[in-house]
Amino acid sequence: MTDIKDQFARLLADEPDAPNDLERIVVAGRRARRRRTAALAVAGTAGAAGLTAAVVVPVLASGGGEPSISLGTQPSPTPSTSASAGKCYLISAPPKAAKLTLQRFIRSGKVGEHATINQLRAQKNGRTILEVCAEGASAQQPNDDTSAPPAGPPYHYTEQPDAIASRLAAHLHNRVTHWSLDISYSRPFAQESASLDKGHPTYYDGNVDVHETQGYGDIGVQVMHETTEQVAFTGDCTADENCAETTLADGSVLRTGQVKAGPGDTVVTAEVHRPDGTVVQAQMSNYPFGPEAGTQAHGEQPLSLDQLVSLAEDEHFTF
Amino acid sequence: MSAADESAFRGFAVTRRPSLRRTAFLLCGDWHQADDLVQTALVKLYVAWPRIHSSEAPDGYAHRTLVRCFLDERRRPWRRESPVEAVDDFGTAVRPTEDLLDLREALAQLPRRQRATLLMRFWLDASVAQTADALGCSEGTVKSQTARAMTTLRALLGDQALVTKE
């Protein structure tokens, strides 16, 4: 009599060598993760999507007729006041209802009874924005050394996150249509939340799919800052077989690379690290990212490498 | 994802990939398809990595994801009934019942969920509860699927061919 596990093991006797495709997996994982986090960020911005609604509903249910509030997990536009650990929330409410709204939010248990509260500013529509950081996460003062980003020059947002996202989306659209490419899908730029709790500036990511004769391709731009924890696509250039690094006249560093992301799938990246700490990553692929994803409707790479590099070097991609 | 998290993921993928690949092969019977399954599962794991890495054992999560990927595989529209020149290992036509089949061919004759149940229980050593959680079914279903699978295998391989250590 033979144990079934031993018999299973014998089936594996002819195991061939495993493919060396870890880079392919990581690239595909990054793209999937970016798509997921962007969707969450957009949902949070909309204010009516699942996560936000799930927070708001119990509050409203206990106080029918009270002014509506919107809660989200968007990172603070002023990193200097963000928490060093734990999660922070932004609460937008009419000034007269802010105190009551805050009390109800704290009672919800999401941040504990000893939450730290900062009043950020009044919105143009008259609403007050409060930043509430979870219990144990102490909001830090701007000149507190531990609140500073770990590397790079001091960083300050100069626009509202929504305005940055809109500006970046419009500029990518203009650049792509200027090349007479037919945009079939646009994923809006979203303020992504990888660095939500670390007090660092966040990053923005958006992309467009373009319809070509043979199928679809994709062009995406991600704008980051050196102090974000987002991992640069090209990573250690010397370790990537298709990676090249060039120092440009203004001191920026350009990295270009190409990775096979799956059967017939190729992703080409141009990434510029500017002296001011801004990192722009332009990426194109010969397959779609939006609604046509997974249909195997491969096209050609939508841009030449020079065109892709020009996107990464474009000074309008900044925040 | 932070550089530290990604480094941890890479380390996990390098060390645990062989185990995932062998499980995938036992599920599908084809090394190429097994590599596709592992790749799909690892991409899903990458997406969830910061959460998984800090909250539970990533190995169990990865294997559960792999099994679910296997069960989901044939639901994809482009996977349905496409003509091929040669069938894969597990697609081999059924032999006459008077012949005792080897385990590989016997596994091929099990429905996919029964095959997944059997492998979860006796290859991955998952408990009934863990298997039910991974497959999204009740513990009773796991027990009945296991019993049916073992009955089928014994019918194909002979009563004395298999024992379990339970």
Side-chain angles (χ1 to χ4, degrees), chain A residues 2-14, chain B residues 22-23 25-27 31 90 103-104 106-107 110 114-125 149-150 153 157 162-164:
Chain A
T2 310
D3 176 55
I4 189 170
K5 192 166 185 176
D6 294 336
Q7 291 210 29
F8 284 150
R10 282 206 289 274
L11 295 181
L12 303 167
D14 61 345
Chain B
R22 287 168 196 145
T23 302
F25 173 76
L26 291 173
L27 285 166
W31 285 109
F90 274 6
L103 180 58
R104 178 182 297 201
L107 276 175
L110 294 179
Q114 284 187 25
R115 204 186 309 161
T117 305
L118 208 62
L119 287 164
M120 287 288 297
R121 296 284 290 111
F122 300 123
W123 174 250
L124 298 176
D125 296 322
M150 290 304 293
L153 289 185
L157 300 171
L162 297 170
V163 294
T164 66

Side-chain angles (χ1 to χ4, degrees), chain A residues 73-122:
Chain A
T73 55
Q74 290 284 304
S76 166
T78 52
S80 60
T81 59
S82 293
S84 59
K87 184 168 283 187
C88 294
Y89 295 82
L90 297 183
I91 298 179
S92 171
K96 289 182 180 178
K99 187 175 180 181
L100 183 62
T101 301
L102 182 61
Q103 288 171 342
R104 286 177 173 166
F105 181 66
I106 290 175
R107 281 205 301 271
S108 74
K110 294 186 77 66
V111 291
E113 293 180 355
H114 304 291
T116 305
I117 301 149
N118 287 304
Q119 180 167 338
L120 297 180
R121 69 175 67 78

Side-chain angles (χ1 to χ4, degrees), chain A residues 1-9 11-19 21-26 28-33 36 194 198 203 229-231 261-263 293-296, chain B residues 1-3 6 9-10 13-14 17-18 21-22 25-26 31 35 38-39 42-43 46-51 78 103-104 107 118-119 122-123 125 150 153 157 160-165:
Chain A
M1 300 206 0
T2 310
D3 176 55
I4 189 170
K5 192 166 185 176
D6 294 336
Q7 291 210 29
F8 284 150
L11 295 181
L12 303 167
D14 61 345
E15 180 178 357
D17 291 339
D21 60 355
L22 183 57
E23 285 307 316
R24 180 185 302 179
I25 288 167
V26 169
R30 285 175 184 164
R31 289 174 70 83
R33 187 170 170 77
R36 179 173 168 274
K198 301 289 174 60
Y203 63 96
E229 287 203 336
Q230 172 67 2
V231 178
T295 59
Q296 299 180 327
Chain B
M1 188 190 296
S2 70
E6 184 165 302
F9 172 82
R10 285 174 181 271
V14 167
R17 185 197 181 96
R21 190 170 181 244
R22 287 168 196 145
F25 173 76
L26 291 173
W31 285 109
D35 286 329
V38 171
Q39 191 179 100
L42 285 175
V43 169
Y46 182 97
V47 173
W49 183 257
R51 175 172 55 86
W78 61 90
L103 180 58
R104 178 182 297 201
L107 276 175
L118 208 62
L119 287 164
F122 300 123
W123 174 250
D125 296 322
M150 290 304 293
L153 289 185
L157 300 171
Q160 300 301 309
L162 297 170
V163 294
T164 66
K165 285 179 177 172

Side-chain angles (χ1 to χ4, degrees), chain B residues 59 79 86 88 101 105 112 116 150:
Chain B
D59 199 41
R79 294 278 190 190
D88 61 25
L101 308 180
E105 291 167 321
R112 295 168 74 83
M150 290 304 293

Side-chain angles (χ1 to χ4, degrees), chain A residues 212-229:
Chain A
E212 303 169 311
T213 306
Q214 297 174 315
Y216 294 85
D218 175 79
I219 302 166
V221 172
Q222 185 171 118
V223 186
M224 303 167 274
H225 194 270
E226 281 182 350
T227 52
T228 63
E229 287 203 336

Side-chain angles (χ1 to χ4, degrees), chain A residues 53-225:
Chain A
V55 176
V56 172
V57 167
V59 175
L60 294 179
S62 63
E66 295 293 338
S68 64
I69 61 167
S70 60
L71 303 176
T73 55
Q74 290 284 304
S76 166
T78 52
S80 60
T81 59
S82 293
S84 59
K87 184 168 283 187
C88 294
Y89 295 82
L90 297 183
I91 298 179
S92 171
K96 289 182 180 178
K99 187 175 180 181
L100 183 62
T101 301
L102 182 61
Q103 288 171 342
R104 286 177 173 166
F105 181 66
I106 290 175
R107 281 205 301 271
S108 74
K110 294 186 77 66
V111 291
E113 293 180 355
H114 304 291
T116 305
I117 301 149
N118 287 304
Q119 180 167 338
L120 297 180
R121 69 175 67 78
Q123 288 179 302
K124 287 181 181 177
N125 60 11
R127 285 171 168 259
T128 297
I129 301 178
L130 300 171
E131 183 182 55
V132 187
C133 292
E135 190 172 9
S138 56
Q140 299 170 358
Q141 298 307 309
N143 55 0
D144 183 342
D145 287 342
T146 58
S147 70
Y155 183 81
H156 299 285
Y157 285 99
T158 56
E159 300 166 86
Q160 288 294 314
D162 288 353
I164 296 171
S166 299
R167 176 171 57 75
L168 296 175
H171 191 62
L172 178 61
H173 187 276
N174 289 341
R175 290 294 309 267
V176 171
T177 52
H178 179 72
W179 284 314
S180 301
L181 293 168
D182 175 21
I183 296 176
S184 61
Y185 162 76
S186 294
R187 183 169 64 87
F189 274 78
Q191 183 187 24
E192 303 210 4
S193 55
S195 304
L196 178 62
D197 302 320
K198 301 289 174 60
H200 305 167
T202 185
Y203 63 96
Y204 290 80
D205 178 71
N207 69 295
V208 296
D209 283 352
V210 293
H211 190 200
E212 303 169 311
T213 306
Q214 297 174 315
Y216 294 85
D218 175 79
I219 302 166
V221 172
Q222 185 171 118
V223 186
M224 303 167 274
H225 194 270

